[in-house]
């Protein structure tokens, strides 16, 4: 058995009402900065609920609420400057992965020299080592998709580069996964986010970096999503389904920590870098069947195991997984998504493939076998219409 390691320094609180645990959590004295995006977290009262719980623990808070759905380097810089100017002691990332990823990157920038992009590998990133621990981060996801509450990574967009970065200094200090904060996510976003979590787990299972421990988390996450995602999509008020998808998302974050995403994520990051209005999970759904079919011959046994986790008890090969994947997408109402619906143009397929390789080429090295540039273009073409 190959050597593997698992380092997870985050204290995790999970369950309905878990946000109350923050009242007794160990955080540095002083003011916290709540980083969030849009209007929903404020309109639904989540910002006030978090601020009230922290106030019980003696912490005042400031709020930054301008995070974009695909978080940008400009937003990270603004938050880091605010942290330094206001002498912020800790950061709360409240919202989807964009808010938490912004919080992680800003926390590092607040305590290290230079710019976040100096610490990014790939593309025009500087590839520097993060020297100092960042400000403590509290991650409170309001969506079940990225798993960023359970991993040390961020995904930040800088122009036409959307690159994952981070390292062990980017783990949250505390993560609070409270499914009560996820009950109002609209059906289509529930589906997109759920499939993002699904592919974190499934990619980590077929990746060359998989280990016995990542396999355990991956199969359980896939099982929970197969059982409950469609229910959460069609009945958002089903607390049990929401909780199971939330748990699957956190387990998939463990998979990201232990194993790796694969080229599927690299391709989608390039797509949404060029088309910021394309939701990440929707992009993954669009390219998934074409991507996964490329590994039928080399990963048939692993794909069969994923199919069995999705409920196909007699699955024996890759075809069973592809059928189970299509069935889950149909039950969630996302099976007809195509790249042509988001302004992606066939003449740009080569540019997208080159961007994926240049910015996140390391993920392709985790694929079960190498994909050529022509094959990546073929995946995009097969997913177009």
């Amino acid at each position: 058995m190959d050597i593997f390691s698992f380092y997870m320094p985050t204290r995790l609180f999970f369950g309905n009402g878990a946000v109350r645990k923050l009242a007794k959590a160990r955080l540095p004295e002083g003011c916290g900065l709540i980083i969030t995006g849009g209007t929903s977290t404020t309109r639904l009262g989540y910002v006030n609920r978090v601020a009230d719980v922290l106030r019980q623990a003696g912490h005042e808070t400031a709020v930054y609420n301008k995070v974009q759905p695909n978080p940008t380097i400009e937003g990270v810089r603004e938050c880091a400057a605010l942290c330094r100017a206001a002498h912020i002691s800790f950061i709360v990332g409240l919202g989807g992965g964009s808010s938490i990823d912004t919080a992680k990157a800003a926390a590092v920038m607040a305590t290290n020299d230079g710019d976040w992009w100096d610490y990014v590998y790939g593309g025009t990133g500087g590839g520097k080592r993060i020297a100092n621990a960042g400000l403590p981060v509290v991650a409170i996801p309001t969506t079940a998709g990225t798993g960023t509450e359970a991993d040390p990574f961020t995904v930040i967009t800088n122009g036409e580069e959307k690159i994952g970065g981070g390292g062990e200094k980017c783990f949250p200090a505390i993560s609070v996964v409270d499914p009560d904060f996820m009950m109002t996510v609209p059906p289509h976003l529930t589906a997109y986010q759920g499939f993002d979590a699904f592919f974190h787990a499934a990619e980590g299972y077929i990746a060359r970096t998989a280990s016995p421990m990542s396999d355990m988390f991956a199969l359980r996450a896939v099982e929970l999503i197969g059982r409950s995602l469609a229910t959460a999509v069609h009945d958002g008020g089903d607390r049990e389904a929401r909780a199971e998808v939330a748990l699957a998302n956190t387990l998939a974050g463990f998979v990201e920590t232990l194993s790796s995403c694969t080229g599927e994520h690299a391709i989608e990051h390039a797509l949404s870098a060029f088309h910021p209005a394309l939701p990440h999970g929707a992009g993954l759904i669009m390219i998934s069947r074409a991507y996964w079919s490329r590994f039928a011959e080399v990963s048939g046994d692993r794909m069969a195991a994923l199919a069995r986790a999705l409920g196909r008890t007699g699955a024996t090969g890759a075809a069973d997984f592809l059928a189970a994947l299509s069935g889950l997408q149909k039950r969630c109402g996302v099976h007809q998504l195509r790249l042509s619906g988001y302004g992606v143009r066939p003449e740009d397929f080569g540019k997208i493939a080159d961007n994926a390789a240049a910015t996140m080429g390391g993920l392709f090295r985790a694929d079960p076998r190498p994909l050529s540039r022509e094959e990546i273009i073929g995946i995009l073409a097969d997913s177009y219409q």
Side-chain angles (χ1 to χ4, degrees):
M1 185 179 295
D2 292 336
I3 296 171
F4 66 90
S5 66
F6 184 28
Y7 176 65
M8 178 67 184
T10 303
R11 182 176 296 278
L12 174 69
F13 298 105
F14 184 97
N16 299 99
V19 72
R20 295 191 298 268
K21 294 290 186 180
L22 273 183
K24 296 184 179 180
R26 293 184 178 180
L27 289 168
E29 293 184 2
C31 184
L33 175 66
I34 299 174
I35 294 177
T36 190
T39 60
S40 61
T41 54
T42 299
R43 175 174 50 82
L44 294 168
Y46 299 159
V47 172
N48 284 340
R49 283 176 65 184
V50 171
D52 287 346
V53 173
L54 288 171
R55 194 173 295 113
Q56 294 174 34
H59 300 289
E60 293 302 314
T61 53
V63 178
Y64 176 93
N65 61 2
K66 297 187 290 183
V67 176
Q68 301 299 309
N70 280 306
T72 64
I73 186 64
E74 290 81 9
V76 172
R77 290 166 181 159
E78 283 188 33
C79 289
L82 180 57
C83 287
R84 289 190 289 264
H87 304 290
I88 294 297
S89 298
F90 63 92
I91 298 176
V92 178
L94 173 65
S98 56
S99 296
I100 298 172
D101 284 5
T102 299
K104 289 180 178 181
V108 167
M109 268 193 70
T111 60
N112 286 272
D113 294 333
D115 185 73
W116 172 251
W117 219 247
D118 295 335
Y119 302 98
V120 168
Y121 289 84
T124 59
K128 289 174 59 178
R129 183 180 65 85
I130 299 172
N132 304 318
L135 295 176
V137 171
V138 178
I140 308 178
T142 61
T143 64
T146 67
T148 191
E149 73 274 9
D151 72 42
F153 305 118
T154 69
V155 179
I156 303 296
T157 298
N158 184 1
E160 293 184 343
E161 295 181 313
K162 182 179 178 182
I163 303 181
E168 65 178 50
K169 292 184 174 66
C170 290
F171 275 107
I174 298 170
S175 288
V176 179
V177 183
D178 189 336
D180 286 347
F181 280 28
M182 304 176 185
M183 301 297 290
T184 60
V185 179
H188 68 291
L189 293 179
T190 298
Y192 298 165
Q193 294 155 7
F195 271 100
D196 189 13
F198 173 85
F199 289 120
H200 290 157
E203 290 174 35
Y205 187 71
I206 66 162
R208 295 167 60 88
T209 49
S211 72
M213 186 174 282
S214 66
D215 288 352
M216 173 182 66
F217 290 128
L219 291 174
R220 180 61 171 157
V222 167
E223 177 188 347
L224 290 168
I225 289 170
R227 185 167 70 201
S228 293
L229 179 58
T231 301
V233 169
H234 296 294
D235 181 6
D238 189 313
R239 297 186 83 198
E240 185 65 22
R242 288 287 193 186
E244 289 206 336
V245 175
L247 178 58
N249 177 56
T250 298
L251 296 178
F254 293 158
V255 177
E256 293 179 272
T257 298
L258 285 158
S259 181
S260 176
C261 290
T262 63
E264 182 177 27
H265 262 74
I267 296 169
E268 203 299 310
H269 283 168
L271 280 166
S272 51
F274 287 115
H275 299 275
L278 171 60
H280 174 56
L284 290 170
I285 292 166
M286 292 176 202
I287 65 174
S288 61
R289 284 162 287 182
Y291 170 83
W292 283 83
S293 67
R294 264 61 180 185
F295 303 105
E297 293 184 3
V298 296
S299 295
D301 290 346
R302 292 230 143 201
M303 291 169 73
L306 291 169
R308 292 192 291 272
L310 283 172
R312 293 199 167 222
T313 56
T316 59
D320 294 298
F321 171 75
L322 294 170
L325 176 62
S326 294
L328 180 59
Q329 291 177 352
K330 188 170 185 179
R331 293 200 306 277
C332 293
V334 295
H335 58 296
Q336 294 181 325
L337 291 173
R338 295 294 183 270
L339 294 177
S340 55
Y342 282 86
V344 181
R345 302 180 305 174
E347 56 265 36
D348 292 334
F349 289 167
K351 181 171 68 172
I352 293 167
D354 292 340
N355 180 284
T359 58
M360 298 200 70
L363 296 187
F364 289 110
R365 292 195 289 273
D367 280 333
R369 68 165 180 83
L371 288 175
S372 67
R373 181 178 187 269
E374 290 70 27
E375 285 181 293
I376 297 169
I377 292 172
I379 289 168
L380 295 167
D382 291 348
S383 310
Y384 181 66
Q385 58 182 211

